[in-house]
Amino acid sequence: GSGRARVRNVVFVVLLLVWAAFLAAHAGPYASGSDQSGYLNIARLFAEGRVAEQVREIQGVPMRRFDPWCFTPLGFRPGPDPGVLLPAYPFGLALHQLVASWLVGLRHAAALVDVGVGTLMLWLLYRLGRSFGLTRPWATAATTMFAVSPLTIHFYTWAMSDGVATAWCTAA
């Protein structure tokens, strides 16, 4: 009866917490690659109330003689004015990181988004399976298969938009 349902719910919550702890232990709060750098730099710009960045001059290099793309990192594009960089990536992940930065600072925002959205994703996937008529064991199996996939682990431990997009699509 209701006692078994309560036990099931407690077990489910414990498993979600174990998943969150696993993600927290492996999520990188830093830009470990060029894509992560792009998203985190856009979040930093937004946190500073800006939407553009200045090209960093290199001492002794006549930068105006080169194509602006030579000095443009991933996640940005040259702006209409010389020396200005504009964000080129979609803002979704950077906005999630910005909101997370209000809670834990920008230094840990990427990890909080990964852990929070990754944990929410498992709950959403389980609920989606149940809403499609899967029994509890089958919904649990589907959620477990998703959770242990190397791609899933990658998406929720590395600051990339794929995991956040997956969660939003599942929620929709």
Side-chain angles (χ1 to χ4, degrees), residues 57-63 65-66 71:
E57 296 284 330
I58 300 171
Q59 289 287 340
V61 175
M63 295 177 74
R65 293 180 48 202
F66 294 93
F71 305 102

Side-chain angles (χ1 to χ4, degrees), residues 96-114:
H96 282 77
Q97 292 168 341
L98 173 64
V99 170
S101 77
W102 299 339
L103 301 171
V104 297
L106 198 54
R107 181 179 174 147
H108 299 287
L112 179 60
V113 169
D114 283 344

Side-chain angles (χ1 to χ4, degrees), residues 118-144:
T119 303
L120 175 65
M121 180 58 210
L122 292 190
W123 180 79
L124 289 169
L125 187 58
Y126 177 82
R127 295 304 316 149
L128 182 65
R130 293 292 290 144
S131 72
F132 282 159
L134 292 179
T135 63
R136 283 184 185 91
W138 281 110
T140 300
T143 303
T144 301

Side-chain angles (χ1 to χ4, degrees), residues 9 19 26 43 45 51 53 61 69 78 84 87 108 112 114 130:
N9 289 339
W19 170 250
H26 295 89
L45 279 180
V51 294
E53 181 69 270
V61 175
W69 282 102
V84 173
H108 299 287
L112 179 60
D114 283 344
R130 293 292 290 144

